[in-house]
Amino acid sequence: MGAIKETDGRRLRRESSRRQVIAAMLDLVREGTIQPRAEDVALRSGVGLRTVFRLFNDMESLYREMMIALRGQIETPRTAPLTETDPLRRLEELVRRRAEIFQIIEPFQRSALALRHGSVFLKEDHARLFGMLRKSLVLNIAGPDTLAPPLFESLDAIMGIEFWLRLRDDQGLSPEQTTTAILAAARAILAAGGWPRGQDDR
């Protein structure tokens, strides 16, 4: 019985340390540290450096856990169905929903962008996010079968995280200004395609 309790105690301490390390990694990136070092994570979490590397084989595996934890934070806004039925209001709802998500993930996307070239997981995670956003656009607004393909590809691009970061980082816009700019661009692209169309025209 004593051996079982000791084993359970070690397991609980290990899980607690894992949570502390992941939380520290999230906090550091959220605060603007693009590439936290293992030493930074250990110091912030209160967990020894050796323990960090016992829990995570390398920084790649720590980034993996960080991104998995981040997915949980955006699950509700990502999966909640849109409520508007009017096409233009529905577009605005989707743009604002994405703005909510992008404000949460933008520091992590900056970090991932700096490291993606050398990380299989981060490349896969980016492809997953791209696919998720594209699918949502097709399901909720328009797709290449209801909008001319060049216009659809442009719409998909300006409603993605990369364009959001361009407006935020390079053009210095606030989140609300960025949201407004994306909505204006989306409306212009759709208007060029004769959208919104009636149900019979689709």
Side-chain angles (χ1 to χ4, degrees):
M1 184 64 71
I4 293 174
K5 287 184 177 179
E6 184 177 347
T7 299
D8 287 344
R10 283 199 300 268
R11 179 177 59 80
L12 291 173
R13 288 193 296 273
R14 179 182 177 87
E15 288 305 312
S16 177
S17 294
R18 279 180 62 85
R19 288 193 297 271
Q20 288 175 245
V21 170
I22 294 169
M25 185 74 169
L26 287 165
D27 286 344
L28 286 166
V29 175
R30 192 178 289 116
E31 292 166 7
T33 304
I34 298 296
Q35 298 184 47
R37 301 173 305 160
E39 293 83 355
D40 300 326
V41 175
L43 182 63
R44 173 61 68 92
S45 67
V47 172
L49 183 59
R50 289 184 179 180
T51 301
V52 170
F53 282 114
R54 278 201 300 270
L55 295 170
F56 303 94
N57 294 330
D58 49 32
M59 292 301 287
E60 167 87 357
S61 60
L62 181 50
Y63 268 94
R64 179 188 297 271
E65 293 298 326
M66 180 186 74
M67 299 306 281
I68 290 172
L70 186 62
R71 289 176 196 171
Q73 296 180 21
I74 65 171
E75 188 66 14
T76 297
R78 185 185 74 81
T79 59
L82 299 181
T83 59
E84 296 288 353
T85 56
D86 175 80
L88 292 178
R89 290 180 181 174
R90 191 171 180 83
L91 173 65
E92 181 174 355
E93 184 180 10
L94 181 61
V95 170
R96 293 196 177 279
R97 180 77 60 81
R98 289 192 178 190
E100 180 183 352
I101 293 171
F102 290 170
Q103 286 180 77
I104 294 172
I105 69 173
E106 67 175 34
F108 306 96
Q109 288 299 309
R110 292 185 187 103
S111 179
L113 183 62
L115 300 168
R116 192 184 302 152
H117 68 282
S119 169
V120 173
F121 169 75
L122 291 177
K123 289 177 183 176
E124 292 174 347
D125 192 70
H126 176 72
R128 183 196 63 81
L129 176 64
F130 173 82
M132 177 190 76
L133 294 175
R134 189 179 179 93
K135 181 179 180 181
S136 172
L137 182 61
V138 172
L139 290 175
N140 289 294
I141 304 298
D145 57 336
T146 56
L147 187 68
L151 293 177
F152 170 74
E153 296 300 339
S154 299
L155 180 64
D156 191 25
I158 64 101
M159 290 186 64
I161 184 65
E162 294 86 359
F163 192 63
W164 173 274
L165 291 176
R166 161 69 184 269
L167 293 173
R168 294 278 290 124
D169 295 344
D170 297 332
Q171 295 176 223
L173 300 188
S174 69
E176 186 57 35
Q177 289 172 325
T178 299
T179 303
T180 300
I182 290 172
L183 183 57
R187 285 172 172 164
I189 290 170
L190 289 168
W195 189 97
R197 298 171 180 171
Q199 191 67 32
D200 295 338
D201 297 327
R202 296 190 177 194

